Amino acid sequence: MTLGYTRTLPRWLIDDTTGIADGRVFAVHTQEPHCIGELLPASEVEPSDISMGELPEGQVLCHVNWQDTPDTATMVDMANDLVLAMTHHQGVRDAD
C-alpha cells in the first residue's frame, strides 16, 4: 500500500500499549491477506487459538480476525515477515 510518493505502509504494524494500558500488544497485517491479532506468550494461550507460533521472545499470534483467507505458503511468508517486524520493534523499544 502506498502513502504518497515516497512512503509505503509496512506489511506489519505493531501496536504496543505496554506500560500505557493493560499491556496488550496487537499486530496488524496491512496487505492481503489482511488480519489483526494479539501477540501473547505461548504459555498463556490455548494451542487451538494460535495462528502463528515460534515468534521472538516465545510469543505467538492468536485471537486473529482475518479479513481475507490465507493459504499455507502465504502464512509462512507472513510469519517470517512478522518475525522481522517484531525484531525491529524490539530493537526500537530497547533503544529508548
Side-chain angles (χ1 to χ4, degrees):
M1 178 179 289
T2 304
L3 301 173
Y5 292 111
T6 60
R7 300 232 188 249
T8 58
L9 194 59
R11 284 188 75 183
W12 284 100
L13 295 176
I14 298 176
D15 173 38
D16 186 349
T17 59
T18 303
I20 299 170
D22 59 0
R24 298 177 77 185
V25 180
F26 295 94
V28 178
H29 193 255
T30 64
Q31 300 172 13
E32 286 191 35
H34 299 90
C35 71
I36 183 170
E38 187 168 9
L39 292 166
L40 287 170
S43 61
E44 295 180 16
V45 181
E46 293 294 323
S48 61
D49 290 335
I50 298 172
S51 292
M52 292 180 195
E54 300 184 29
L55 300 173
E57 311 269 333
Q59 300 276 315
V60 296
L61 185 69
C62 58
H63 309 128
V64 176
N65 181 346
W66 294 97
Q67 273 78 55
D68 309 302
T69 305
D71 58 32
T72 303
T74 302
M75 286 287 290
V76 170
D77 288 342
M78 289 174 67
N80 290 334
D81 285 343
L82 181 54
V83 168
L84 294 174
M86 291 174 70
T87 302
H88 176 74
H89 174 78
Q90 190 61 44
V92 170
R93 282 198 66 138
D94 291 345
D96 288 339

